[in-house]
Amino acid sequence: MVKLCSQMQTTFFYLSNTVLTITNALVFARHIPYPIIFIHGLNSNDQTWSTLLSQLDLFGWSSGGRMDYCLNYDGNLSTSLLANDLHDFTIQSTLNIGDYYTVNFDVNIDGTLYNNTVESNQAAVVKQGKAMQSAIKHVLDKTGADKVILVGHSMGGLAAREYLQNPFNWQADEKHHVAKIINHRNTAWWKQSMDLWNN
């Protein structure tokens, strides 16, 4: 039974047999149809996007978090074995439902960020494409979305292309789950696109 009374600008609410739980937990929501994953370029990191993301935040967009990958996990720069080199350091409990996410390849073998001792952020695009498989899965699992939008800067665009062009990188259901791809400052991507367009 709910009873509402109002007396002299004071409102009283009577709730019987009702449990009301109040929490200070944040509620995240998406403002766009598909979450965006921002992928940085060669010899860089997720902070490449900080100016753009701060502007998106001003418009009410929300960050879902950062996904961290070491792409030279065995520490050996003279060999390249994908099974030994790719390690996901993403702390899944820090990911939230959001409008956008970032990928960071500037990660050392102990999980520390932003000091490039194993050249992880300079690793082969094949490794970056495989890491995108995991990043997309994280975002799909967290948001419940069926697709993502990939935005790549320079080599980040090549990482997105590597993921898309190779079905063995796709998700377990054999689909890529990418709605759109946007590349910023990637001449190799545009040259190939123009070559295809002109033929």
Side-chain angles (χ1 to χ4, degrees):
M1 171 180 174
V2 176
K3 192 176 190 179
L4 301 175
C5 299
S6 182
Q7 278 182 326
M8 294 192 266
Q9 298 180 353
T10 304
T11 304
F12 300 94
F13 299 95
Y14 298 98
L15 303 172
S16 62
N17 299 326
T18 303
V19 176
L20 181 62
T21 304
I22 299 174
T23 178
N24 64 349
L26 296 174
V27 177
F28 294 90
R30 282 197 332 257
H31 298 93
I32 53 178
Y34 301 114
I36 299 171
I37 301 175
F38 289 95
I39 314 159
H40 66 78
L42 180 69
N43 200 23
S44 186
N45 56 53
D46 64 301
Q47 294 174 345
T48 294
W49 302 104
S50 60
T51 302
L52 170 65
L53 300 183
S54 66
Q55 294 300 308
L56 294 178
D57 292 345
L58 290 175
F59 286 98
W61 288 32
S62 60
S63 170
R66 182 188 70 230
M67 295 165 285
D68 297 310
Y69 297 89
C70 181
L71 303 179
N72 286 324
Y73 187 61
D74 66 0
N76 187 345
L77 300 181
S78 63
T79 65
S80 184
L81 299 171
L82 187 57
N84 297 339
D85 281 344
L86 177 60
H87 187 80
D88 183 355
F89 278 103
T90 303
I91 302 170
Q92 293 186 34
S93 63
T94 65
L95 296 178
N96 298 300
I97 296 172
D99 295 305
Y100 65 84
Y101 298 79
T102 57
V103 170
N104 178 38
F105 296 133
D106 191 4
V107 181
N108 289 311
I109 60 175
D110 62 357
T112 58
L113 308 177
Y114 310 131
N115 61 7
N116 198 24
T117 61
V118 292
E119 299 178 7
S120 176
N121 60 355
Q122 299 175 49
V125 72
V126 172
K127 297 177 192 179
Q128 293 184 11
K130 191 65 174 173
M132 291 311 303
Q133 176 188 51
S134 170
I136 291 168
K137 182 175 183 340
H138 286 321
V139 173
L140 295 176
D141 288 349
K142 182 53 72 172
T143 63
D146 61 334
K147 293 182 181 179
V148 298
I149 297 170
L150 300 178
V151 177
H153 172 253
S154 190
M155 191 166 178
L158 295 177
R161 184 179 76 181
E162 177 68 20
Y163 171 76
L164 282 172
Q165 285 184 331
N166 296 291
F168 57 82
N169 283 334
W170 294 358
Q171 302 304 306
D173 64 0
E174 300 180 352
K175 296 178 183 175
H176 56 70
H177 294 275
V178 175
K180 300 278 183 192
I181 183 169
I182 301 168
N183 289 290
H184 175 64
R185 293 193 174 179
N186 183 317
T187 55
W189 176 274
W190 293 114
K191 180 179 181 337
Q192 183 182 34
S193 298
M194 291 308 295
D195 288 347
L196 290 171
W197 180 265
N198 291 327
N199 288 331

